[in-house]
Amino acid sequence: MDKSRFVSFLDYIEYLISHIRIIILNGVLVAVVAFGITSLLPRWYEGEVEIMPPQSTGGGIMGMAASLAGGFSLTSGGEFKLPFMTTPSDLYSAMVKSRAVIDPIIDKYSLQEYYRKKDIDETRKKFLKYLTTSVTSEGIVEVKFLAKRDPVFSAAVANDVVKRLDEVNRNLLSQSAKSTREFVGGRLAQCRERLAQAERSLAAFQKEHKAISIEDQMSIMLEFSADMRAKLMQAELERDFLKEHYLPDNPRLLQTEERIKAIEKKIESFEEEGSKFREALVSLPDLWVEYSNLLRDVKVQEILYEFLLTQYEQAKIQEQKDTPVIQVLSWATVPEHKVKPKRAVVSLVLAVVAVLLTILYLLCRRFIENQRIQNPHLHNRWIQFENSCKRIFTSGRQRKNERED
């Protein structure tokens, strides 16, 4: 039995070898036809822009100002809390396909007429079909645009999309900075008034009581107390700002509230456990205590005023800043080579398919011939099936011709 199967296998191999010229000829013929057809198809070109991963705006002048303010900057409110496992590069990639970015590009190049669409929604879908973004493992954002027949157009649109993305980013930062400036400006005016009032009260007290002075040790204690209270007011200011811009469960808001509790605990501990400070207050005359309180109020307002003034100027700079936000690693240049159709690949694939189909046809043909000799009954049934299919096909064509006549 095994020997007969082996002989049958060799028979099929010999049959294929005897028709090797037909197999090769079919493959070559299909490859030539496919190559010719793909040569007639329009060429597509792709413009590509590479964007560096977004960096935090806390660097440079803004970061320096924040460090001078004790590490806290209200202008950092423009940085959004991203969802889990979402990187800033992913955010850029999503923003590229937003209406704020693509609509001006559609208007600039009249893409609704170019794509021959009835409305803007269909035009957006068509445009986004050819506008693609991807993020590499290093975080680099790749923006690509595919255009038919025009390599210059593909590069120009890709570059304009990135420029528009940068413009949208700058507008968002400017709006956030404006909101911060208005908030800080109101608090700055209040602080300026309180500082002036504290200075007037201290000056009036000194004038009335002939300008008392305090010892250096007491002055250090008062400065420490004033610094702690100023930090508390700064933290409360940050909390008020965050409450206006974020939800109650925002992590940054919760961290600020925890910091307020920690500062209040330090102040309470200093006032309750600082035995030297308590003894000094007990031993001071009433006028000296009143003078110390007035001086501390002035120092608190001075520290808070300097902090608010720094934040206000920082917000003004951010609001007026017109420098590019996005760092472009490489702009799109006019592509010299098309991306599709890939004639060689298409021709090779179709040629392989043609060869396989030819082999399959020859094997089936040899199998039918063998069955005619070895199993005439099965062969006759196969012939009957073929004739039935032919009759059905022929009758269908006849009815179609009769209807046309």
Side-chain angles (χ1 to χ4, degrees), residues 326-344:
I326 295 178
Q327 294 179 310
V328 178
L329 183 61
S330 62
W331 290 102
T333 57
V334 178
E336 298 179 357
H337 304 285
K338 60 180 175 58
V339 294
K340 66 178 186 178
K342 298 181 178 180
R343 292 177 293 185

Side-chain angles (χ1 to χ4, degrees), residues 244-297:
E244 290 189 9
H245 293 80
Y246 297 95
L247 296 175
D249 60 347
N250 182 267
R252 188 176 169 191
L253 176 58
L254 296 177
Q255 291 175 1
T256 304
E257 291 178 345
E258 291 296 327
R259 191 165 78 250
I260 291 175
K261 292 179 181 179
I263 295 174
E264 289 176 342
K265 188 175 181 181
K266 286 184 180 180
I267 294 176
E268 182 180 356
S269 175
F270 176 78
E271 292 179 350
E272 290 181 357
E273 299 178 6
S275 58
K276 293 183 180 180
F277 183 71
R278 289 201 310 270
E279 292 174 0
L281 287 179
V282 172
S283 62
L284 286 175
D286 293 339
L287 293 179
W288 203 350
V289 173
E290 184 178 355
Y291 174 81
S292 301
N293 290 335
L294 291 173
L295 182 61
R296 183 185 62 186
D297 290 343

Side-chain angles (χ1 to χ4, degrees), residues 307-361:
F307 167 76
L308 288 173
L309 185 60
T310 301
Q311 298 298 313
Y312 184 75
E313 294 300 328
Q314 182 178 340
K316 286 175 63 178
I317 293 173
Q318 184 67 37
E319 183 181 3
Q320 299 298 326
K321 188 169 67 172
D322 195 34
T323 55
V325 177
I326 295 178
Q327 294 179 310
V328 178
L329 183 61
S330 62
W331 290 102
T333 57
V334 178
E336 298 179 357
H337 304 285
K338 60 180 175 58
V339 294
K340 66 178 186 178
K342 298 181 178 180
R343 292 177 293 185
V345 175
V346 173
S347 301
L348 179 61
V349 170
L350 292 180
V352 171
V353 172
V355 168
L356 294 177
L357 291 177
T358 304
I359 292 174
L360 180 61
Y361 169 77

Side-chain angles (χ1 to χ4, degrees), residues 2-52:
D2 293 338
K3 184 177 180 180
S4 62
R5 288 182 178 178
F6 181 72
V7 171
S8 178
F9 175 75
L10 289 180
D11 177 65
Y12 284 114
I13 296 298
E14 291 176 356
Y15 187 76
L16 292 177
I17 294 175
S18 64
H19 293 79
I20 190 66
R21 295 180 63 183
I22 296 177
I23 296 174
I24 296 175
L25 183 61
N26 283 346
V28 172
L29 181 62
V30 170
V32 171
V33 173
F35 189 86
I37 294 176
T38 52
S39 299
L40 299 176
L41 295 176
R43 297 184 177 185
W44 291 80
Y45 297 90
E46 188 175 66
E48 178 180 351
V49 183
E50 294 180 328
I51 303 174
M52 289 288 290

